[in-house]
Amino acid sequence: MNIDSTIISGYQSLQDIGYLLSGKHQVLLVSDKNIIGLPPVQSVITQLKTAGCQVTVIDNVPPEPSQHDVSAILSALKQPRVDLVIGVGGGSVLDVAKLLSLLCAGDENVTLKSLLAGEKPQHRTTSLLIPTTAGTGSEATPNAILAIPEKETKVGIITPVMLPDYVALVPELTTSMPARIAASTGIDALCHLFECFTSVIANPVSDNVALAGMKKLFANIDTAVAEPGNLVARLNMLWASYYGGASIAHAGTHLVHAMSYPLGGKYHIPHGVANAILLAPCMAFVRPSAVSKFACAYDLIPDADLKLSEEEKSYALVEYFDALVHRLDLPVKLSQLNITPDDIPYLSQGAIEVQRLIKNVPMPVDKNQIEEIYRSIR
């Protein structure tokens, strides 16, 4: 899969985007209430209006959006066809923006219903994605995740057509992110990178991207969480997140994400938090099937003990994952999320049904083994 996005990166890199606006008349800017008032975002809106663009602002994208939320946004649009979609926000906002770039491109045959049914569109309108969290990597993935409340799960709409024309990685947009959100989204990025690195469909392209991303993440995640004003650490985390998305585009996640989906779908646990709880136990299960790759990733940790054997490094990496989640003060037990042992059979069934991801696990896994992992963190 080719990722042809032009990347704009660095402090104040949104101060002059006039060169992107030539020929654009109808612009849709997608965000949320927490982001829309930030000065860099207001600067973008001012530039759009100065350039003569008609700007429609959607600032009510909810966390974990459903197909009903997207339908409501579409129904509220006075101008259903636009020349440019700009998404500014976390993964939920960017996923909705990607969907709207398809649905507002003027093809009446492309509807939300047809996308959910698996139709692969051929066109979208021009898009610019600006992440304000460093975790989902949505700006680099061909995926958009929607909750389906009726089925208490989530689904992924996947098409490379959604990959954007432009991506802006702007560290000052992430400085208002609370430490807990910076931590959980950072762990989400780590899961993307490491799951793709150990997936059965990993390949030289995804491996190189994942390794670059993990090196940045291991060196910067603690600082980025502890020092929100550290623009260097925050920019490096944005790049780590982008590399995580690019890893997904070229390979795919597996066990952590499959097991986190039902936690989000029914219990509305934030995605990064669900991944944090599952990271170490899932990787302890997977470790015997990918010892060399575990060791390779361990070597990227700044204070790694390079004298260890591959086997020892693989164990040390799992210990690092566990210590990192504790150090970032994220939940480590399902009970901390008010999920009881009685919920585990439902979770296990939901996870094993995510075969799109389960088939990527680098060793056989069945429902009973998944249930054992959930019970180990009850």
Side-chain angles (χ1 to χ4, degrees), residues 247-265:
S247 298
I248 292 173
H250 289 103
T253 57
H254 52 82
L255 189 57
V256 173
H257 273 71
M259 292 181 63
S260 74
Y261 271 19
L263 283 168

Side-chain angles (χ1 to χ4, degrees), residues 23-94:
K24 305 297 186 288
H25 304 290
Q26 296 290 337
V27 177
L28 177 61
L29 191 144
V30 185
S31 190
D32 64 37
K33 298 292 186 185
N34 295 321
I35 299 300
I36 197 68
L38 296 178
V41 181
Q42 287 298 307
S43 170
V44 169
I45 294 173
T46 298
Q47 289 182 67
L48 291 168
K49 292 180 176 178
T50 300
C53 300
Q54 296 294 315
V55 184
T56 300
V57 174
I58 300 294
D59 62 1
N60 60 348
V61 176
E64 316 289 335
S66 72
Q67 83 272 34
H68 305 301
D69 296 315
V70 177
S71 294
I73 290 171
L74 285 168
S75 298
L77 289 179
K78 295 180 180 179
Q79 174 54 261
R81 181 171 184 173
V82 301
D83 304 310
L84 172 65
V85 172
I86 301 176
V88 191
S92 295
V93 167
L94 300 189

Side-chain angles (χ1 to χ4, degrees), residues 143 195 199-200 252-261 351 353-361:
N143 309 346
E195 285 182 272
S199 169
V200 296
T253 57
H254 52 82
L255 189 57
V256 173
H257 273 71
M259 292 181 63
S260 74
Y261 271 19
E353 289 177 358
V354 190
Q355 282 297 308
R356 175 176 66 87
L357 303 183
I358 291 294
K359 68 183 182 182
N360 295 340
V361 181

Side-chain angles (χ1 to χ4, degrees), residues 59 97 112 126 137 147 213 216-217 229 238 252 255 271 284 326 341 345 368 372:
D59 62 1
L112 184 57
T126 304
K216 285 186 176 294
L217 188 142
L238 281 169
L255 189 57
H271 181 63
H326 279 86
N368 290 335
E372 288 177 11

Side-chain angles (χ1 to χ4, degrees), residues 155-175:
V155 300
I157 295 171
I158 304 172
T159 170
V161 176
M162 282 195 292
L163 289 166
D165 297 276
Y166 305 100
V167 172
L169 304 179
V170 186
E172 62 267 32
L173 275 173
T174 71
T175 57

Side-chain angles (χ1 to χ4, degrees), residues 131-270:
T132 60
T133 62
T136 69
S138 178
E139 68 278 4
T141 77
N143 309 346
I145 308 300
L146 289 180
I148 308 296
E150 295 81 0
K151 297 183 179 180
E152 297 182 329
T153 190
K154 295 181 179 182
V155 300
I157 295 171
I158 304 172
T159 170
V161 176
M162 282 195 292
L163 289 166
D165 297 276
Y166 305 100
V167 172
L169 304 179
V170 186
E172 62 267 32
L173 275 173
T174 71
T175 57
S176 63
M177 186 169 42
R180 192 175 184 85
I181 302 300
S184 63
T185 54
I187 293 295
D188 189 23
L190 174 54
C191 290
H192 295 160
L193 291 161
F194 192 67
E195 285 182 272
C196 291
F197 187 56
T198 54
S199 169
V200 296
I201 54 174
N203 55 75
V205 174
S206 64
D207 280 357
N208 285 332
V209 172
L211 288 167
M214 283 189 285
K215 185 173 183 178
K216 285 186 176 294
L217 188 142
F218 291 149
N220 289 280
I221 186 168
D222 290 284
T223 302
V225 172
E227 303 174 19
N230 189 319
L231 295 179
V232 173
R234 289 285 172 129
L235 180 58
N236 278 319
M237 286 300 296
L238 281 169
W239 272 107
S241 177
Y242 179 85
Y243 285 136
S247 298
I248 292 173
H250 289 103
T253 57
H254 52 82
L255 189 57
V256 173
H257 273 71
M259 292 181 63
S260 74
Y261 271 19
L263 283 168
K266 181 174 182 177
Y267 303 96
H268 308 294
I269 305 303

